[in-house]
């Protein structure tokens, strides 16, 4: 029986691999195969030639999403903003925020953006922040910070995260990367919202972080942030509110 199950699994995986490869190949035009490099090419490509090719590929990619039918993948404010951002990036593309003594204006801009967000979320002078590369890194940084806090303040060596089943996949990554246990709590089947009492029952002496979303990634539902934050404050546990897609709205 086990051999048959393994054979069936292998068969399905192979079918999936072949289909994924076909789907991928269908997305690429012939120029992608003509300009395929698996090792460093022996001869250089001119800047003009390379830009021509890249522009062609960019136009081809844009056709896959610019009709407004791509969900959760593209974040932009129109072609004018994209052109403006491209110019801004060109001015600071070699900057390194780790060295504010060399790039003081990058540090200035980061500080002001953080201050704007604190104001939007009604923070005060006790609030602080930093800019990450995106949502996944933000969740990783937060999870590590609370893991370390639990270890340093309460000697918690088997840290746990309590979160609804709808929580962003990055929490699974964080748990894996940082040796944490992710305790998932079911949501209400009708409302899609997690029950605060269910979250409370999932808390143990090893809980270092309670996480929730506003809105969550799968359904765009606002979870009971204030109640869960109050619960975390009452238990002296870290709390992360994941402002996922549309969180600033």
């Amino acid at each position: 029986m086990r051999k048959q199950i393994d054979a069936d699994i292998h068969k399905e995986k192979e079918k999936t691999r072949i289909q994924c490869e076909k789907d991928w190949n269908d997305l690429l035009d012939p120029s992608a195969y003509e300009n395929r490099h698996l090792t460093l090419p022996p001869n250089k490509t001119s800047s003009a030639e390379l830009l021509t090719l890249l522009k062609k590929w960019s136009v081809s990619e844009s056709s896959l999403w610019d009709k407004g039918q791509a969900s959760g993948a593209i974040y932009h404010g129109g072609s004018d903003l994209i052109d403006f951002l491209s110019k801004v990036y060109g001015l600071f593309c070699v900057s390194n925020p780790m060295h504010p003594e060399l790039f003081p204006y990058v540090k200035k801009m980061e500080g002001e953006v953080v201050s704007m967000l604190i104001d939007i979320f009604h923070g005060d002078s006790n609030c602080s922040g930093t800019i990450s590369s995106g949502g996944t890194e933000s969740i990783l940084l937060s999870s590590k910070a609370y893991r370390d806090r639990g270890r340093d303040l309460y000697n918690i060596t088997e840290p746990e995260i309590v979160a609804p089943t709808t929580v962003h996949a990055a929490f699974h990554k964080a748990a894996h990367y940082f040796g944490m246990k992710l305790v998932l709590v079911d949501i209400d089947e009708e409302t899609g919202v997690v029950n605060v009492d269910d979250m409370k029952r999932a808390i143990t002496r090893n809980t270092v972080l309670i996480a929730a979303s506003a809105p969550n990634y799968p359904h765009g539902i606002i979870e009971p942030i204030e109640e869960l934050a109050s619960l975390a404050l009452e238990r002296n546990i870290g709390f992360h509110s994941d402002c996922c897609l549309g969180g600033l709205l």
Side-chain angles (χ1 to χ4, degrees):
M1 177 64 74
R2 180 64 187 179
K3 288 184 178 180
Q4 183 60 48
I5 293 175
D6 288 343
D8 290 343
I9 292 174
H10 176 75
K11 182 179 179 180
E12 289 301 314
K13 287 173 66 176
E14 186 63 13
K15 284 171 56 180
T16 301
R17 184 192 66 78
I18 293 173
Q19 186 61 49
C20 287
E21 188 171 294
K22 180 181 181 303
D23 292 343
W24 169 255
N25 290 335
D26 289 344
L27 292 173
L28 302 177
D29 62 49
S31 68
Y33 297 99
E34 297 166 6
N35 292 275
R36 192 176 185 216
H37 302 290
L38 303 182
T39 60
L40 287 173
N43 301 311
K44 71 176 183 177
T45 302
S46 69
S47 298
E49 183 180 357
L50 187 57
L51 281 174
T52 298
L53 180 63
L54 292 176
K55 287 177 180 178
K56 179 179 180 181
W57 289 356
S58 176
V59 170
S60 178
E61 283 191 342
S62 297
S63 67
L64 300 175
W65 58 263
D66 65 359
K67 303 299 185 228
Q69 296 176 325
S71 175
I74 302 298
Y75 317 100
H76 71 98
S79 58
D80 289 344
L81 181 59
I82 291 175
D83 291 342
F84 173 71
L85 292 177
S86 298
K87 294 175 182 176
V88 171
Y89 178 75
L91 296 174
F92 294 94
C93 63
V94 298
S95 64
N96 186 341
M98 290 181 64
H99 294 279
E101 74 280 8
L102 298 177
F103 305 100
Y105 291 99
V106 171
K107 180 65 176 176
K108 165 185 165 61
M109 288 186 285
E110 179 185 29
E112 291 180 358
V113 169
V114 169
S115 178
M116 293 174 190
L117 290 171
I118 289 173
D119 179 66
I120 288 174
F121 287 103
H122 309 293
D124 57 26
S125 59
N126 294 315
C127 296
S128 60
T130 186
I131 293 179
S132 71
S133 62
T136 292
E137 187 190 6
S138 293
I139 289 172
L140 294 178
L141 293 173
S142 175
S143 299
K144 182 184 181 300
Y146 286 122
R147 182 204 66 174
D148 294 352
R149 175 180 181 269
R151 178 194 61 205
D152 297 343
L153 296 183
Y154 307 111
N155 197 33
I156 296 176
T157 57
E158 298 179 359
E160 297 177 358
I161 303 171
V162 174
T165 54
T166 51
V167 79
H168 194 280
F171 283 100
H172 293 264
K173 296 178 184 179
H176 176 71
Y177 290 161
F178 305 134
M180 307 171 78
K181 179 182 178 182
L182 179 57
V183 180
L184 295 175
V185 179
D186 288 332
I187 60 173
D188 185 282
E189 292 184 359
E190 293 187 6
T191 66
V193 178
V194 72
N195 185 283
V196 175
D197 289 334
D198 291 341
M199 293 282 286
K200 183 184 297 185
R201 281 189 287 270
I203 295 173
T204 72
R205 66 180 62 185
N206 289 322
T207 303
V208 298
L209 173 59
I210 297 173
S213 308
N216 62 39
Y217 188 82
H219 309 125
I221 293 174
I222 304 291
E223 289 161 353
I225 299 298
E226 292 185 2
E227 294 91 332
L228 291 172
S230 296
L231 174 61
L233 185 62
E234 174 189 323
R235 301 293 184 89
N236 203 17
I237 297 171
F239 182 74
H240 182 98
S241 176
D242 180 27
C243 295
C244 200
L245 307 182
L248 288 177
L249 299 178

